[in-house]
Amino acid sequence: AAQRVLDGLGSLAPRLVFSPGNHDPPRFFSGFGGGNSSASTSNAHARSLSLAPGLWLAGWGGSATATEEGVPVWPGWPLSEDENAAGYAQLQRALRGGGSAGASFDGPGPGDSLLLLPHCGPAGAGTTVVTAADPNNPSSPGMRRAPILSGSHHLSALLDSRLLQRQCVAVVHGHTHAGVGLSSLGRVPVINPGSLRFGRRFGLLTLRREP
């Protein structure tokens, strides 16, 4: 099923970049710069990709543990919280010019702009908070008594750094179907375009180079 989705999306654009989610096959996480890449399709998990001169994309797949009133309700998958923390630490180290042993984040330089493409968005952003009664359908009526917090604290810690606040132009994520919309952490926009399957939502992001 996942391959059919990729094939369909690949027919719409000459280049497709994706970060695998917590419902995708384990082979999408095999090795760093993961499985299922081809000439026109790039798996961005644990790697950086050049989009244009001075603009890079870095991805990280899977999800963090989601909680409701402090109690876990959705387990993180397929990576542990320690693995997520190590992955984002490797990205920060690479951006500082220290290399990224264990991942393929090498490429972006200190003066380059960075677009982050995690599957799971950052904790603290409204786009990772589920207030809808049905967490899969943002169009359904009703509110939860207590919200589900589905964001990654390790990603938030990364975005809190001066380096990322300066270089990151946006975070584009999925995972939280009912969190569709725009938020921000510091000066960094956080965008959840929503789910095509649940709610028929999508987003378009246009980046323009400042003179």
Side-chain angles (χ1 to χ4, degrees):
Q3 187 60 57
R4 289 198 300 272
V5 172
L6 288 175
D7 291 342
L9 291 173
S11 68
L12 301 177
R15 185 180 185 187
L16 173 67
V17 179
F18 73 96
S19 287
N22 53 305
H23 293 291
D24 286 323
R27 63 185 172 87
F28 282 17
F29 299 86
S30 60
F32 289 97
N36 221 71
S37 292
S38 66
S40 59
T41 301
S42 298
N43 184 341
H45 174 61
R47 68 188 299 204
S48 56
L49 302 164
S50 175
L51 298 181
L55 176 63
W56 290 76
L57 177 147
W60 191 259
S63 65
T65 300
T67 61
E68 185 175 15
E69 296 187 310
V71 178
V73 290
W74 302 330
W77 194 92
L79 305 171
S80 68
E81 293 300 316
D82 286 345
E83 288 174 308
N84 288 328
Y88 286 124
Q90 289 163 2
L91 171 57
Q92 187 173 44
R93 192 159 51 246
L95 291 172
R96 287 175 172 163
S100 58
S104 301
F105 287 130
D106 297 332
D112 292 330
S113 296
L114 183 69
L115 177 66
L116 285 181
L117 186 70
H119 174 69
C120 181
T127 54
T128 63
V129 177
V130 180
T131 59
D134 183 348
N136 283 324
N137 186 0
S139 300
S140 65
M143 293 178 60
R144 308 185 71 83
R145 182 176 62 83
I148 295 176
L149 307 179
S150 67
S152 166
H153 291 279
H154 301 301
L155 177 54
S156 294
L158 174 71
L159 291 169
D160 188 41
S161 70
R162 184 180 298 272
L163 180 69
L164 268 292
Q165 285 290 310
R166 183 177 67 247
Q167 288 187 245
C168 186
V169 296
V171 178
V172 180
H173 73 90
H175 185 55
T176 312
H177 301 156
V180 57
L182 173 66
S183 184
S184 63
L185 286 183
R187 65 164 294 277
V188 179
V190 180
I191 304 160
N192 179 350
S195 170
L196 281 173
R197 180 179 178 186
F198 299 105
R200 297 184 180 180
R201 307 294 183 92
F202 66 94
L204 296 173
L205 173 64
T206 300
L207 298 176
R208 292 184 176 89
R209 188 183 303 276
E210 294 182 353

